């Protein structure tokens, strides 16, 4: 049974943590691995408890699918076994005599391997628990959990030991409830907060880390805080406003039991908005708030100024990012390096960016950079301007295309993770890049640390056809400001309009290529209007954001009330909002040159979408990207979109309609007085949707983390030009259409982590052009079709985490050049491949970062 296993696992975890704390002072040679193990165990402990609690609370759900219960039992049993191995190894390690250096080295290596094994197992398998929790809670009407985990500190940090100790002394004072970490942008406030959380996590029962940004959606922040602190409280209440939400939260926290432990809330990157103070939980024992801010907020109990790095610490950081070897450091001219370090004001962010820009550069480049920075510092007195001027030298070294792409990031919401695929889609459409070319530019900018690029899932077996759905981008707000400054100094190709800005005049808009409008409550009160005489002829990209509530009388989004103009030359529209429904603006039908449409809902629940104009208005539309939208699968399109080539659906709720598409008869026929409907009972399902005629030119469909998708419409199989079909992390998908073999041009089929799919249709053997097949994480796939051997064009197959039974016919896959497998599947495939070098063994690894 699961419950005894989870209890045993929790007991071992507690015991191990206690043993490590007792012995780490006397076994210094094992300190590093002991600390890593302890850190992992502390992270794992609440997750093990959640498994037990979840099973108790949702037993009636699991009874409907006994197979899932068995999967969890197997995983928990394996976890328990690994914990026992860790416990035994730790006890053996502390008995090793410290004088026996050979034995010490052996056990240190064993501890390292055991740590890695446990970490990989946890990150790979706990995903199933998350699926079941989100599926159950969504059924109950609760939004999917969007975690607020502490961010990972940079790969190298210096000068944080003393500040962390000083923060501890201040925050744990009884009279201090709210402590501020203050300093210039880029001085390491967030890094210091993350390091602090890492050091004190064993002293707190819960830590909630909330990135605030310049224009925060406070109601969303309170919702996250509620889910973090009251995760066992059931369905999230409906809040009227921030005050109502905080009152309810404080009311519930009165029941907080002190024996649970202390709680730390981190409000990261707080600007001057006084409303943010409402998020602070005051006058409640055991609750502490840490705030990172550039200014000194008057509602802080105490503040801590981040100290400058020492010269040697700053030089060490610079050398690391400039990739100077020890020999290179000795040969470098100390005076030049010190000039650059001082010019960077010893700020970690500047040292990282400037250091990376000077990588592999000669002495002349160091001299040029040092001169530029020194000149700028002499002419500008404001510290913020000084640091921006210093950073400008890193942008000067970019190519023209790289600089344009760097500036494009101001089109996306600040202080949030950006999906790399969305950025790459834009560059493909308006920058003339290929998909791989766009990926290369992303990597170039990341190597220079102008952006941070990271994967939601460590893909050790990367390949050209794997896709980029797991790739995310973040950008420091100081670098975003730098991108904005750089954009303003160039042609007026990007126009960013915040909710407090006045209507731009013709001079500002005449050359605008990218327009960003931030939609908020300001529009409700002011009825922001544009002069229709403003020339929008040069606009090729329009970005609209509405992070705060903006509702018409019926509660639905109606942007036309506030933005009446048309943008006939816009090529990209990015619409950001946070609400349960969205009606697209009517001027969209006038955007004849539109190539890319991105509709992204920033709230935690999927939004109803309406108002997509007819295809005759968007005759050049080539790519559509929908994020967190509730819609009938592929039925958003009611008319043929003749040029649409790519459709992406991410975190969407897929639902079935009684009929698709739905027509509003009163609007189409306002004068009609009589209607006659004749129904003929045919074999066709009421959900039949003629996708081939609606999307005749589509070549790629991407469906990722979509809930409710059990089956694809059969008509998908008749799309004539479909080359890539990607259905990933769709845990409700039961089966593929039987007629999938009719996709005669399909080259890439990704079915990663579709955990409910039990089999593949036999007709998959008819996909003669299929080159890449990804079945990784399809843990319940029982067997591969007997006809698999007929896929003579198949070159790569990924079967990590997929232990499906293999038919003998896989020996006939003569075109196969790579089988991506893990330890278990390698053993299964080995007898069926002629050349062992075809087996590319990697560890299966899945992360839960997407929940953040």
């Amino acid at each position: 049974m699961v419950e005894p296993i989870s209890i045993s696992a929790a007991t071992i975890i507690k015991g191990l943590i206690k043993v490590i704390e007792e012995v780490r002072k006397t076994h210094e040679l094992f300190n590093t691995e002991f600390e890593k193990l302890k850190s992992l165990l502390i992270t794992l402990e609440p997750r093990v408890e959640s498994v037990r609690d979840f099973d108790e609370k949702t037993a009636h759900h699991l009874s409907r699918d006994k197979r899932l219960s068995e999967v969890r039992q197997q995983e928990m049993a394996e976890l328990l076994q690994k914990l026992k191995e860790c416990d035994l190894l730790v006890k053996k390690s502390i008995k090793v005599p410290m004088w026996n250096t050979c034995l010490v080295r052996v056990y240190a290596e064993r501890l390292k391997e055991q740590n890695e094994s446990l970490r990989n197992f946890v990150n790979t398998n706990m995903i199933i628990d998350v699926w079941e929790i989100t599926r159950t809670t969504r059924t109950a009407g609760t939004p999917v959990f969007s975690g607020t985990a502490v961010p990972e500190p940079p790969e190298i940090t210096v000068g944080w030991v003393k500040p962390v100790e000083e923060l501890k002394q201040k925050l744990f004072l009884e009279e201090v409830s709210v402590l501020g970490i203050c300093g210039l942008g880029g001085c390491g406030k967030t890094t210091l907060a993350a390091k602090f959380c890492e050091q004190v996590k064993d002293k707190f029962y819960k830590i909630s880390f909330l990135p605030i940004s310049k224009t925060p959606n406070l109601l969303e922040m309170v919702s996250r805080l509620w889910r973090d602190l009251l995760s066992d409280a059931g369905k999230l209440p409906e809040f009227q406003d921030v005050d109502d939400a905080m009152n309810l939260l404080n009311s519930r926290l009165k029941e907080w039991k002190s024996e649970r432990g202390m709680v730390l809330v981190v409000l990261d990157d707080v600007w001057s908005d006084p409303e943010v103070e409402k998020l602070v939980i005051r006058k409640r024992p055991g609750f502490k708030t840490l705030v990172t801010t550039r200014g000194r907020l008057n509602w802080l109990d105490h503040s801590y100024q981040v100290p400058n790095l020492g010269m040697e610490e700053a030089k060490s950081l610079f050398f690391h990012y400039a990739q100077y070897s020890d020999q290179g450091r000795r040969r470098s001219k100390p005076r030049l390096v010190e000039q650059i370090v001082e010019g960077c004001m010893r700020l970690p962010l500047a040292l990282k960016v400037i250091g990376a820009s000077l990588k592999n550069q000669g002495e002349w480049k160091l001299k040029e950079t040092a001169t530029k920075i020194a000149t700028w510092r002499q002419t500008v007195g404001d510290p913020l301007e000084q640091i921006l001027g210093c950073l400008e030298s890193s942008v000067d070294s970019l190519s023209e295309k790289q600089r344009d792409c760097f500036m494009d990031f101001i089109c996306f919401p600040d202080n949030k993770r950006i999906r790399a695929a969305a950025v790459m889609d834009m560059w493909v459409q308006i920058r003339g890049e290929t998909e791989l070319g766009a990926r290369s530019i992303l990597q170039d900018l990341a190597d220079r640390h102008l952006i941070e690029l990271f994967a939601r899932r460590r893909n050790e077996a990367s390949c050209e056809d794997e896709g980029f759905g797991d790739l995310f981008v973040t950008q420091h707000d100081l670098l975003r400001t730098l991108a904005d400054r750089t954009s303003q100094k160039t042609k007026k190709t990007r126009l960013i309009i915040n909710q407090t800005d006045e209507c731009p005049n013709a001079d500002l808009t005449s050359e605008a290529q990218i327009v960003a409008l931030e939609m908020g409550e300001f529009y409700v009160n002011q009825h922001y209007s544009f002069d229709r005489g403003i020339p929008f002829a040069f606009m090729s990209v329009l970005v609209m954001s509405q992070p705060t509530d903006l509702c018409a009388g019926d509660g639905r989004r109606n942007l036309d009330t506030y933005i009446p103009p048309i943008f006939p030359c816009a090529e990209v529209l990015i619409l950001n909002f946070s609400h349960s429904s969205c009606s697209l603006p009517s001027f969209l039908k006038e955007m004849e040159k539109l190539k890319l449409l991105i509709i992204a809902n920033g709230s935690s629940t999927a939004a109803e979408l309406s108002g997509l104009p007819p295809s005759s208005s968007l005759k050049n539309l080539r790519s559509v990207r929908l994020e967190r939208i509730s819609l009938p699968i592929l039925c958003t399109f009611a008319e043929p979109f003749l040029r649409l080539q790519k459709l992406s659906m991410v975190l969407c709720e897929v639902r079935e309609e009684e009929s698709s598409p739905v027509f509003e008869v009163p609007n189409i026929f306002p004068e009609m007085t009589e209607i006659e409907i004749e129904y003929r009972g045919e074999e066709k399902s009421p959900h039949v949707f003629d996708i081939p005629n609606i999307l005749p030119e589509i070549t790629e469909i991407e469906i990722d983390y979509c809930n409710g998708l059990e089956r694809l419409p059969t008509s998908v199989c008749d799309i004539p030009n479909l080359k890539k079909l990607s259905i990933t992390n769709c845990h409700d998908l039961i089966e593929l259409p039987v007629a999938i073999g009719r996709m005669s041009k399909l080259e890439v089929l990704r079915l990663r982590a579709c955990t409910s799919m039990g089999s593949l249709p036999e007709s998959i053997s008819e996909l003669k052009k299929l080159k890449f097949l990804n079945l990784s994480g399809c843990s319940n796939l029982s067997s591969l079709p007997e006809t698999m051997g007929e896929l003579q064009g198949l070159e790569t197959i990924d079967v990590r985490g997929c232990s499906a039974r293999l038919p003998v016919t896989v020996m006939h896959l003569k075109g196969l050049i790579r089988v991506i497998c893990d330890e278990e599947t390698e053993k299964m495939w080995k007898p069926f491949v002629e050349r062992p070098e075809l087996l590319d063994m990697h560890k299966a690894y899945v992360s839960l970062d997407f929940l953040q």
Side-chain angles (χ1 to χ4, degrees):
M1 295 297 291
V2 175
E3 182 172 326
I5 293 177
S6 61
I7 292 175
S8 300
T11 302
I12 292 177
I13 289 172
K14 292 183 190 311
L16 264 173
I17 292 174
K18 185 177 180 181
V19 169
I20 290 172
E21 288 178 341
E22 289 175 352
V23 304
R24 62 180 178 178
K25 294 181 180 179
T26 57
H27 289 73
E28 294 181 359
L29 292 178
F30 296 140
N31 262 0
T32 301
E33 296 307 324
F34 279 171
E35 282 299 319
K36 287 181 181 178
L37 179 57
K38 178 185 172 186
S39 175
L40 176 58
L41 293 173
I42 289 174
T43 304
L44 179 60
E45 185 176 13
R47 296 169 72 178
V48 171
E49 291 177 352
S50 73
V51 174
R52 180 190 59 199
D53 295 342
F54 176 71
D55 284 318
E56 290 175 351
K57 295 177 181 178
T58 60
H60 59 291
H61 291 292
L62 293 180
S63 63
R64 295 180 303 183
D65 195 348
K66 187 178 179 181
R67 172 178 51 79
L68 295 177
S69 179
E70 291 172 355
V71 168
R72 167 158 304 137
Q73 289 183 44
Q74 293 172 5
E75 289 178 352
M76 290 303 297
E78 190 172 346
L79 174 62
L80 181 60
Q81 180 60 35
K82 287 187 176 293
L83 288 172
K84 287 179 179 179
E85 292 171 0
C86 284
D87 186 48
L88 181 61
L89 185 57
V90 168
K91 290 176 179 176
K92 286 184 177 181
S93 298
I94 61 180
K95 294 179 181 179
V96 174
M98 305 313 293
W99 53 263
N100 192 337
T101 56
C102 182
L103 202 56
V104 166
R105 194 178 300 113
V106 169
Y107 272 87
E109 188 62 30
R110 287 182 183 177
L111 283 167
K112 182 178 180 180
E113 291 176 358
Q114 193 69 41
N115 275 343
E116 186 67 23
S117 174
L118 179 61
R119 186 178 300 276
N120 286 342
F121 173 80
V122 171
N123 287 327
T124 301
N125 294 282
M126 293 300 279
I127 190 74
I128 293 179
D129 296 319
V130 174
W131 162 44
E132 292 179 293
I133 291 171
T134 54
R135 184 183 66 169
T136 304
T137 53
R138 285 181 186 184
T139 303
T142 307
V144 63
F145 175 72
S146 56
T148 50
V150 179
E152 286 284 337
E155 56 183 315
I156 179 173
T157 54
V158 294
W160 60 267
V161 177
K162 183 179 178 182
V164 166
E165 291 303 317
E166 292 173 343
L167 281 176
K168 289 179 184 178
Q169 294 175 13
K170 292 180 181 294
L171 187 65
F172 289 116
L173 291 174
E174 187 175 345
E175 64 271 18
V176 175
S177 175
V178 186
L179 176 63
I181 301 178
C182 306
L184 282 173
C187 72
K189 299 184 294 295
T190 300
T191 298
L192 181 56
K195 280 289 185 181
F196 177 80
C197 292
E198 187 180 84
Q199 292 288 305
V200 301
K201 58 188 174 186
D202 55 339
K203 297 182 182 299
F204 288 95
Y205 175 70
K206 287 193 176 182
I207 297 179
S208 179
F209 201 103
L210 301 175
I212 301 299
S213 79
K214 193 173 183 178
T215 54
N217 183 341
L218 293 183
L219 199 57
E220 182 66 22
M221 293 296 103
V222 180
S223 298
R224 291 188 179 188
L225 195 57
W226 183 285
R227 289 193 293 268
D228 274 2
L229 303 185
L230 300 172
S231 56
D232 56 349
K235 183 179 178 181
L236 189 72
E238 293 185 7
F239 304 126
Q240 299 298 320
D241 51 35
V242 177
D243 291 324
D244 174 55
M246 286 306 296
N247 288 336
L248 282 172
L249 179 62
N250 278 292
S251 176
R252 293 296 300 270
L253 290 178
K254 288 180 181 178
E255 304 169 10
W256 188 273
K257 297 178 181 179
S258 57
E259 58 266 24
R260 276 182 162 184
M262 299 175 66
V263 171
L264 175 63
V265 177
V266 182
L267 305 180
D268 184 44
D269 193 23
V270 175
W271 290 62
S272 58
D273 189 348
E275 293 291 301
V276 177
E277 185 183 0
K278 294 178 179 179
L279 299 179
V280 177
I281 302 171
R282 291 186 183 273
K283 299 179 180 179
R284 196 161 300 287
F287 282 77
K288 300 283 187 177
T289 302
L290 193 63
V291 180
T292 69
T293 177
R294 295 185 188 181
R296 293 185 178 273
L297 307 172
N298 56 18
W299 42 271
L300 301 175
D301 293 338
H302 205 291
S303 61
Y304 176 81
Q305 187 71 30
V306 179
N308 288 339
L309 294 176
M311 176 56 74
E312 292 305 313
E313 293 172 330
K315 286 166 63 177
S316 173
L317 205 59
F318 171 78
F319 284 134
H320 172 79
Y321 287 107
Q323 293 191 1
Y324 274 38
S325 63
D326 291 340
Q327 187 178 13
R329 296 185 189 195
R330 289 192 296 269
R331 288 181 177 178
S332 63
K333 293 190 176 181
R335 181 60 183 161
L336 270 181
V337 173
E338 288 177 6
Q339 282 181 341
I340 294 174
V341 168
E342 282 296 343
C344 293
M345 302 170 67
R346 305 185 198 174
L347 298 178
L349 177 67
L351 292 167
K352 177 166 65 174
V353 173
I354 298 299
S357 71
L358 295 173
K359 185 167 52 179
N360 300 324
Q361 299 294 326
E363 186 178 320
W364 66 271
K365 188 64 176 178
L366 268 70
K367 287 181 180 178
E368 181 189 26
T369 303
T371 303
K372 279 184 179 180
I373 294 175
T375 303
W376 184 261
R377 289 195 69 187
Q378 289 172 3
T379 56
V380 177
D382 181 66
L384 178 60
E385 293 297 328
Q386 287 183 10
I387 193 60
L388 286 172
C390 169
L391 291 169
E392 275 187 4
S393 63
S394 63
V395 178
D396 293 340
S397 62
L398 298 174
S399 68
E400 184 177 353
K401 180 167 285 188
Q402 287 173 332
R403 194 177 301 116
D404 280 338
C405 292
F406 169 64
M407 292 184 285
D408 285 343
F409 283 100
I410 63 177
C411 301
F412 294 87
D414 66 318
N415 211 9
K416 289 190 177 180
R417 294 181 175 186
I418 303 168
R419 293 182 180 273
V423 182
M424 292 164 61
D425 279 351
M426 187 166 78
W427 293 345
V428 167
Q429 298 300 334
I430 68 171
R431 302 288 177 212
E433 284 295 329
T434 63
E435 192 174 70
L436 291 178
R439 175 66 178 86
S440 178
I441 292 176
L442 271 179
Q443 191 60 55
D444 288 342
L445 295 176
D447 290 342
R448 294 170 179 268
H449 295 285
L450 292 169
I451 61 172
E452 295 297 325
L453 190 63
F454 62 94
R456 171 176 66 193
R457 166 181 175 269
R458 183 167 61 188
N459 187 9
E460 297 175 335
S462 59
C463 60
E464 182 176 325
D465 295 313
E466 180 55 32
F468 305 102
D470 288 317
L471 207 58
F472 286 80
V473 181
T474 58
Q475 188 175 44
H476 194 282
D477 60 355
L478 200 61
L479 294 172
R480 181 183 174 90
T481 302
L482 176 63
D484 192 16
R485 294 282 187 93
T486 307
S487 179
Q488 292 177 24
K489 290 180 181 179
T490 60
K491 285 185 177 182
K492 305 300 181 183
T493 55
R494 298 168 189 81
L495 178 61
I496 310 297
I497 306 173
N498 295 314
Q499 46 186 303
T500 55
D501 291 339
E502 295 182 359
C503 181
N505 56 41
D507 292 337
L508 289 175
T509 59
S510 60
E511 295 182 351
Q513 181 188 23
I514 302 177
V515 182
L517 290 90
E518 184 176 319
M519 302 291 290
E521 294 176 276
F522 175 80
Y523 289 88
V524 176
N525 300 321
Q526 301 297 326
H527 286 199
Y528 209 0
S529 63
F530 285 82
D531 180 0
R532 284 186 177 271
I534 293 176
F536 291 103
F538 293 92
M539 292 184 183
S540 67
V541 181
L542 170 66
V543 184
M544 301 170 57
S545 303
Q546 48 181 42
T548 54
D549 285 341
L550 170 63
C551 300
D554 61 355
R556 297 182 67 81
R557 293 297 197 231
N558 187 355
L559 304 180
D560 301 319
T561 307
Y562 311 106
I563 305 181
I566 58 176
F567 304 91
C569 293
E571 293 179 335
V572 177
L573 170 62
I574 303 176
L575 172 60
N576 296 306
F577 65 96
S578 293
H579 201 262
S580 60
S581 60
C582 178
S583 178
L584 298 179
S586 62
F587 65 73
L588 184 59
K589 66 178 178 289
E590 307 291 343
M591 301 172 73
E592 294 184 355
K593 294 187 178 181
L594 193 68
K595 295 179 180 178
L596 171 63
L597 175 62
I598 300 177
I599 305 174
N601 172 23
S603 67
S604 57
T605 53
E608 301 282 342
L609 184 67
S610 62
L612 185 69
S615 59
S616 56
S617 302
L618 302 176
K619 55 188 177 183
N620 287 303
L621 189 63
R622 296 178 183 176
S623 181
V624 174
R625 184 176 186 84
L626 306 174
E627 296 185 12
R628 217 179 288 273
I629 303 297
S630 175
L631 73 170
I633 180 167
L634 302 179
C635 300
T636 299
F637 307 95
E639 296 183 12
F641 281 77
L642 300 179
R643 293 197 177 183
L644 192 67
Q645 297 174 350
K646 182 176 181 180
L647 174 63
S648 302
M649 298 163 54
V650 181
L651 290 167
C652 291
E653 295 278 352
V654 179
R655 66 177 192 273
E656 291 187 350
E657 298 284 359
E658 288 303 317
S659 60
S660 301
V662 177
F663 296 100
E664 297 182 2
V665 176
N667 293 334
I668 299 175
F669 307 106
E671 303 298 324
M672 184 172 61
T673 59
E674 183 177 348
I675 183 170
E676 179 179 345
I677 300 176
E678 180 180 354
Y679 175 74
R680 296 180 180 180
E682 297 182 2
E683 297 83 4
K684 291 185 177 181
S685 162
H687 307 303
V688 166
F689 180 56
D690 194 4
I691 296 174
N693 290 328
I694 297 295
L695 307 173
E697 295 300 319
I698 197 156
T699 60
E700 182 174 356
I701 295 177
E702 174 192 8
I703 305 175
D704 188 29
Y705 281 105
C706 288
N707 187 52
L709 176 65
E710 295 185 358
R711 295 175 177 85
L712 285 178
T714 302
S715 57
V716 170
C717 302
D718 295 317
I719 298 177
N721 297 306
L722 192 65
K723 293 183 178 181
K724 293 183 180 180
L725 177 60
S726 179
I727 309 174
T728 55
N729 304 293
C730 293
H731 304 293
D732 292 325
L733 184 69
I734 299 173
E735 60 186 8
L736 293 177
V738 174
I740 193 174
R742 297 206 295 259
M743 296 182 180
S744 59
K745 295 185 179 180
L746 195 68
E747 298 176 1
V748 175
L749 177 59
R750 304 188 194 103
L751 300 170
R752 188 180 69 235
C754 292
T755 53
S756 288
M757 193 167 58
S759 62
L760 294 176
E762 292 285 337
S763 67
I764 197 173
S765 62
E766 299 171 22
L767 302 176
K768 302 304 181 184
K769 292 190 176 182
L770 189 67
K771 296 179 180 179
F772 179 81
L773 176 61
N774 190 337
L775 300 174
S776 63
C778 293
S779 54
N780 290 302
L781 197 62
S782 59
S783 62
L784 298 185
E786 294 293 333
T787 54
M788 277 291 291
E790 298 177 23
L791 292 173
Q792 294 300 305
L794 189 64
E795 297 176 354
T796 303
I797 183 170
D798 190 341
V799 290
R800 288 172 295 171
C802 175
S803 54
R805 184 184 63 81
L806 303 180
V808 178
T809 57
V810 298
M811 299 176 65
H812 303 150
L813 296 172
K814 301 302 182 183
L816 204 61
I817 59 177
R818 190 182 184 196
V819 179
I820 305 173
C821 52
D822 52 31
E823 293 178 358
E824 181 180 353
T825 51
E826 182 189 33
K827 297 174 184 177
M828 297 177 61
W829 277 81
K830 199 168 186 177
F832 293 95
V833 295
E834 295 180 357
R835 293 173 292 146
E837 61 268 22
L838 296 184
L839 297 175
D840 189 2
M841 205 273 286
H842 294 269
K843 294 180 179 178
Y845 186 95
V846 179
S847 170
L848 302 185
D849 284 346
F850 73 96
L851 293 175
Q852 298 178 15

